[in-house]
Amino acid sequence: MTEAIPFDLPGDDLFGLDNLPYGVFTTEEDPDRCRVGVRFGSHVLDAGAAAEAMGSAHAELLRQPVLNPLMAAGRPTWQAVRADLQNWLSDPQHRETVGGHLIPLTAVTMRLPFEVADYVDFYASEHHATNVGKIFRPDGDALTPNWKHLPIGYHGRAGTVVVSGTPVVRPQGQRKPKDAPMPVFGPSQRLDIEAEVAFVVGRASQTAARVDRADFAEHVFGVCLLNDWSARDLQAWEYVPLGPFLGKSFATSVSAWVTPLEALEQARTEPPARDVQPLPYLDDSGAKDGLDIRITVTLNGERVSEPPFSAMYWTAAQQLAHMTVNGASLRTGDLFASGTVSGPGQDQLGCLLELTAGKGPFLADGDEVTLTAWAPGPNGTRIGLGEVTGKIAPSPAG
């Protein structure tokens, strides 16, 4: 088995030594035992078994059924584990030991990699917010007065965050047809996607102890793609005067793989120029807190958009600072997402609402949406983010 393992990956492999994202998997032979895995090319390393075979001090953390214990251990441990993994997979003297714990991707089933504590979603793209504002408020200002002063967000539902590949059942709820005097109940007719990038919190914080923007890397374990499925007709009827509720809470899909924040060091970039000076706790002047992540959205196998994450107005570090500035604490497993990623071009829009100027068509039963992405890595390499796929299943009501 060892000889068949491609330890020397081609330079263009998106999941090489500079990446090594974490996930959780089961096998057909042992379907009830969840194991921490590390993606390496077209294989998954059983991280706990490999750590035990190598006599690693981190074996216990890596033998857990979810990533949360590793995430809670903090940045020095994250860095030490990552260094061990890179050594085990690159040093020829370890190949015989480690090779026996590499499993083909085709032989595993990926699970939700961490227990989600809380879920927060932001609205951080100026292009997206402007486009949506023009659709919803054609005679008014596209951006609300507060938009350039703070990262706007809402609290979602952690219990309906699902792993990539999970079917998305068309939600039911109240919607009010344009010319109808009263709302009706039934399946959503305007089901949409939102292509997003999400951040997974590892190290917790204390209540009333806010997290400074500069401490982002001490608390955030990693990054993954996210699709915030949205029922636009349910949302339009319910969200005034509060915020998203049933139009969002039925399902949020995340990648099975969490890319370590450290793997994206070469992708750091300055955010777009801002025309409003942020308050001091959000001020990131001169900092490279943005990330150059290139997303591709496909619908039934056809590319429909390529949203650039580097165009986001508010960075994840600012979002984290704002999320905790009132004293709200972080918990291991907190998930916060960027909001729809959109760029200035028609081929860079991250949702069907924008792509069709609100007119549709929206998602039909049987449609399958996939998000993929990559970011610049060291020495001209590319770092892949695990894909997010969801297929629309019909509502039980129709």
Side-chain angles (χ1 to χ4, degrees):
M1 178 178 179
T2 304
E3 290 76 18
I5 301 298
F7 279 95
D8 298 316
L9 299 179
D12 60 353
D13 195 298
L14 296 178
F15 297 95
L17 287 170
D18 293 318
N19 191 346
L20 301 182
Y22 294 94
V24 167
F25 71 95
T26 58
T27 62
E28 186 176 354
E29 296 77 19
D30 201 354
D32 296 323
R33 183 163 72 97
C34 291
R35 291 177 263 176
V36 171
V38 174
R39 184 166 177 178
F40 182 60
S42 60
H43 287 71
V44 180
L45 177 69
D46 183 337
E52 189 170 281
M54 294 298 297
S56 169
H58 306 296
E60 184 63 24
L61 284 177
L62 294 172
R63 291 193 70 90
Q64 300 301 312
V66 289
L67 292 177
N68 296 61
L70 173 62
M71 288 157 47
R75 191 180 183 193
T77 298
W78 306 340
Q79 293 174 320
V81 170
R82 179 171 168 78
D84 283 348
L85 289 165
Q86 289 176 322
N87 177 41
W88 300 343
L89 289 166
S90 63
D91 192 330
Q93 69 176 329
H94 301 316
R95 291 186 176 183
E96 184 174 354
T97 302
V98 173
H101 302 293
L102 281 162
I103 307 168
L105 275 170
T106 54
V108 304
T109 298
M110 299 308 299
R111 307 295 183 180
L112 189 66
F114 58 96
E115 294 177 350
V116 182
D118 283 310
Y119 168 51
V120 173
D121 197 18
F122 284 92
Y123 191 51
S125 165
E126 182 177 4
H127 300 292
H128 172 68
T130 299
N131 293 335
V132 171
K134 289 177 179 178
I135 294 170
F136 288 161
R137 296 180 296 275
D139 299 323
D141 292 334
L143 296 180
T144 54
N146 60 349
W147 199 91
K148 289 195 173 181
H149 293 275
L150 54 85
I152 295 174
Y154 73 91
H155 283 272
R157 188 173 181 86
T160 47
V161 174
V162 297
V163 72
S164 173
T166 304
V168 177
V169 177
R170 183 177 298 275
Q172 303 176 57
Q174 288 192 30
R175 51 188 171 82
K176 186 178 180 299
K178 185 176 181 180
D179 299 323
M182 298 289 288
V184 297
F185 181 87
S188 171
Q189 303 299 301
R190 293 166 63 86
L191 187 56
D192 200 357
I193 66 167
E194 289 191 346
E196 306 192 18
V197 175
F199 298 82
V200 184
V201 171
R203 179 182 156 205
S205 66
Q206 298 296 316
T207 301
R210 76 188 200 189
V211 176
D212 290 338
R213 182 197 57 76
D215 292 331
F216 175 81
E218 299 300 319
H219 292 271
V220 172
F221 174 75
V223 182
C224 62
L225 293 177
L226 179 147
N227 190 340
D228 184 31
W229 306 93
S230 301
R232 300 299 186 189
D233 42 2
L234 275 59
Q235 181 184 358
W237 175 237
E238 72 182 3
Y239 87 119
V240 179
L242 296 179
F245 188 40
L246 300 186
K248 297 278 193 176
S249 63
F250 57 95
T252 303
S253 297
V254 296
S255 172
W257 299 102
V258 180
T259 297
L261 190 63
E262 191 173 349
L264 297 174
E265 187 64 26
Q266 300 298 317
R268 293 183 61 174
T269 186
E270 291 187 14
R274 301 189 179 99
D275 52 8
V276 175
Q277 176 64 34
L279 291 174
Y281 78 97
L282 295 172
D283 188 3
D284 60 354
S285 301
K288 288 188 173 182
D289 285 349
L291 288 172
D292 181 10
I293 298 174
R294 326 284 179 88
I295 304 171
T296 297
V297 181
T298 61
L299 173 59
N300 299 326
E302 296 292 328
R303 184 187 66 83
V304 296
S305 181
E306 293 189 336
F309 191 67
S310 59
M312 300 298 276
Y313 188 93
W314 295 108
T315 69
Q318 289 171 316
Q319 291 165 0
L320 186 65
H322 185 66
M323 191 165 65
T324 60
V325 74
N326 67 342
S329 60
L330 297 174
R331 294 192 293 174
T332 298
D334 280 355
L335 178 70
F336 67 100
S338 62
T340 304
V341 181
S342 289
Q346 178 63 26
D347 62 346
Q348 297 178 325
L349 305 178
C351 65
L352 298 178
L353 180 71
E354 292 177 87
L355 285 164
T356 67
K359 300 174 182 177
F362 290 90
L363 295 174
D365 292 347
D367 280 350
E368 185 173 67
V369 178
T370 298
L371 311 181
T372 56
W374 64 271
N379 303 314
T381 60
R382 293 183 175 187
I383 303 297
L385 274 68
E387 71 172 34
V388 178
T389 294
K391 188 172 185 178
I392 305 303
S395 167

